[in-house]
Amino acid sequence: SYTSCTLCPRTCRVNRTQGELGYCKASDTVYAGLARLHFWEEPPISGSRGSGAVFFSECNLGCLYCQNEALSKTHAGVIINEAQLAHTFLDLQERGAHNINLVTGTHFLPTIYPAVKQARAKGLLLPIVWNSSGYETQKILSVLEEIVDVWLLDIKYQDQALAKSLSGAKDYPRIAEASLLEVAAHVEKRGGNKLNQEGLLTQGLIVRHLVLPGYLDNTKRVLQSIFKIVGDSAWVSVMSQYTPNSWASTQHDNVSLQRTLAQKEYQEVLDCAKKYQFDVLFTQDAASQSSHFTPIFDGSGFAR
């Protein structure tokens, strides 16, 4: 509900219908930055025709270094209601999308949930992908389990001090571990990761981690945590795409975040990941370290 908001672990309890704003700065008006065929996810998500990505504005985590800062820190894009969102899902299906990829939508779930239901009733057949920071409550995860088929779940930190300084969430490691445990159990009950004849995920879980330059100890602890929770059956995506945003570029007391990840750092992380012998390990090449891979959030692609 937007009236006393507890949609995320921050539990701000503000009445967003009356203009009160919590940590994410979102009201009950849904802003969305872009709806498009997206080709830069993991191969079983993007496939050959693209993932039907819907990027929502604002964010309940708000990482200082966010590469989508125009989206996460402002009302980027356009206002969209439940019916328009449902029609957008159907439009993306018509355009050939392999799935509907909901990017950072927790704070707008009271609108997203009925929009998915409405689209299903009108012929939406595609899997729903929940693209999340991992900073979720158990209550919200139980709601999401009713509509989500594929989970792209981040595990960003095991270092509490780092989580507090970069995302204002000292409790992130505990919350994200609990989220992964819940989602992994849910996926296992449904039979685990499943691929169709095109090699695309129709249900399942990919655990993601963005490697921050200079913070390899945190990354190694994250990989250890993933293995502890999910074991070697996990599908893990270790991302090297960190690109300094406008905030990071001014942090002269944090030189490591002013630069991209060095190849030798990434190789050290991959060597660590390979020790766990995860079932599937997705990697990135150095070309991903570019602002050119950040979409322009101009509000295009939505049904009006």
Side-chain angles (χ1 to χ4, degrees), residues 132-153:
S132 165
S133 69
Y135 197 56
E136 308 278 15
T137 69
Q138 295 295 296
K139 181 179 179 180
I140 290 302
L141 288 175
S142 67
V143 174
L144 287 168
E145 286 168 359
E146 299 175 23
I147 61 170
V148 172
D149 302 292
V150 179
W151 304 78
L152 296 182
L153 201 68

Side-chain angles (χ1 to χ4, degrees), residues 34 36 38 40 55 65-71 241-245 287-297:
L34 186 65
R36 61 172 289 181
H38 189 55
W40 304 332
F55 295 86
Y65 55 85
C66 181
Q67 291 167 257
N68 292 342
E69 61 178 334
L71 188 73
Q241 68 188 41
Y242 174 81
T243 305
N245 65 8
S288 65
Q289 299 173 344
S290 170
S291 59
H292 294 299
F293 286 90
T294 301
I296 298 172
F297 301 110

Side-chain angles (χ1 to χ4, degrees), residues 70 109-110 135-136 181 191 211 274:
L109 187 57
Y135 197 56
E136 308 278 15
L181 187 64
V211 184
K274 288 172 183 175

Side-chain angles (χ1 to χ4, degrees), residues 8-299:
C8 86
R10 299 193 190 276
T11 58
C12 298
R13 296 191 181 278
V14 295
N15 187 344
R16 290 165 57 182
T17 68
Q18 298 299 314
E20 296 176 8
L21 302 180
Y23 187 93
C24 69
K25 300 296 188 290
S27 69
D28 63 335
T29 300
V30 178
Y31 283 83
L34 186 65
R36 61 172 289 181
L37 297 177
H38 189 55
F39 295 89
W40 304 332
E41 309 286 29
E42 290 77 7
I45 302 297
S46 289
S48 60
R49 300 193 304 273
S51 176
V54 180
F55 295 86
F56 294 94
S57 298
E58 292 105 7
C59 180
N60 66 314
L61 195 57
C63 305
L64 294 174
Y65 55 85
C66 181
Q67 291 167 257
N68 292 342
E69 61 178 334
L71 188 73
S72 61
K73 294 177 171 56
T74 69
H75 300 304
V78 294
I79 294 172
I80 187 165
N81 62 31
E82 177 187 316
Q84 290 168 326
L85 193 54
H87 285 131
T88 298
F89 299 158
L90 293 167
D91 284 350
L92 286 166
Q93 179 171 263
E94 287 294 313
R95 291 164 60 189
H98 292 298
N99 46 60
I100 301 300
N101 184 354
L102 304 173
V103 185
T104 317
T106 300
H107 49 300
F108 290 130
L109 187 57
T111 302
I112 293 171
Y113 180 93
V116 171
K117 292 286 191 179
Q118 187 180 141
R120 287 286 191 221
K122 293 183 177 180
L124 180 68
L125 302 174
L126 301 179
I128 298 296
V129 178
W130 191 252
N131 196 328
S132 165
S133 69
Y135 197 56
E136 308 278 15
T137 69
Q138 295 295 296
K139 181 179 179 180
I140 290 302
L141 288 175
S142 67
V143 174
L144 287 168
E145 286 168 359
E146 299 175 23
I147 61 170
V148 172
D149 302 292
V150 179
W151 304 78
L152 296 182
L153 201 68
D154 282 3
I155 304 291
K156 296 179 181 292
Y157 312 108
Q158 267 299 304
D159 185 321
Q160 289 185 350
L162 189 62
K164 182 178 180 180
S165 65
L166 296 181
S167 299
K170 182 181 179 181
D171 60 353
Y172 179 91
R174 174 179 60 81
I175 296 292
E177 279 195 349
S179 296
L180 177 56
L181 187 64
E182 167 66 26
V183 171
H186 170 72
V187 170
E188 186 176 3
K189 283 179 186 176
R190 297 182 63 191
N193 285 14
K194 293 184 179 179
L195 299 169
N196 64 14
Q197 292 181 340
E198 296 178 87
L200 298 162
L201 271 173
T202 56
Q203 76 167 41
L205 164 66
I206 296 177
V207 189
R208 286 174 155 179
H209 175 70
L210 174 66
V211 184
L212 297 177
Y215 294 100
L216 301 196
D217 286 346
N218 174 66
T219 288
K220 291 174 183 178
R221 289 171 61 191
V222 165
L223 292 170
Q224 183 181 44
S225 175
I226 294 170
F227 180 75
K228 175 184 170 185
I229 296 169
V230 191
D232 58 8
S233 65
W235 289 27
V236 178
S237 180
V238 180
M239 301 183 292
S240 64
Q241 68 188 41
Y242 174 81
T243 305
N245 65 8
S246 61
W247 171 86
S249 299
T250 65
Q251 300 306 298
H252 302 296
D253 58 341
N254 194 330
V255 177
S256 67
L257 291 181
Q258 288 187 304
R259 61 174 175 84
T260 56
L261 187 71
Q263 188 58 39
K264 64 180 181 180
E265 290 178 302
Y266 190 47
Q267 188 57 55
E268 183 178 336
V269 166
L270 293 184
D271 290 342
C272 177
K274 288 172 183 175
K275 288 193 305 183
Y276 294 111
Q277 298 184 325
F278 294 120
D279 190 26
V280 176
L281 181 64
F282 298 103
T283 63
Q284 290 183 318
D285 58 38
S288 65
Q289 299 173 344
S290 170
S291 59
H292 294 299
F293 286 90
T294 301
I296 298 172
F297 301 110
D298 58 3

